[in-house]
Amino acid sequence: MPEQPSYEVAREELGEVVRKLESGGVPLAESMALWQRGEELAALCQKYLDDARAQVSKARKPE
């Protein structure tokens, strides 16, 4: 299984996927593959953000 990209790398790749899809010049099969990759990257970025929120929330709770 390939190593997961960092949040920053995943966010940058997601931006590139969006730019390609918005350009409209991509064949349908490639568009579908890009869309699927975009979904994977968005989910990964969301997980990073959720984990960060949980860490902040835990750190802010009084012991």
Side-chain angles (χ1 to χ4, degrees):
M1 183 173 192
E3 187 177 318
Q4 287 188 347
S6 68
Y7 170 78
E8 294 79 10
V9 170
R11 187 186 66 210
E12 181 61 35
E13 185 181 345
L14 180 57
E16 187 59 34
V17 166
V18 170
R19 283 187 285 281
K20 286 180 182 178
L21 288 171
E22 287 180 341
S23 75
V26 181
L28 179 59
E30 188 177 343
S31 291
M32 294 304 297
L34 284 169
W35 175 79
Q36 185 174 359
R37 180 63 177 156
E39 288 288 326
E40 293 167 357
L41 291 165
L44 179 59
C45 287
Q46 188 61 55
K47 181 180 180 331
Y48 278 123
L49 293 173
D50 291 344
D51 290 349
R53 272 191 207 103
Q55 286 180 335
V56 169
S57 180
K58 183 178 177 182
R60 295 178 82 185
K61 284 186 180 179
E63 292 186 29

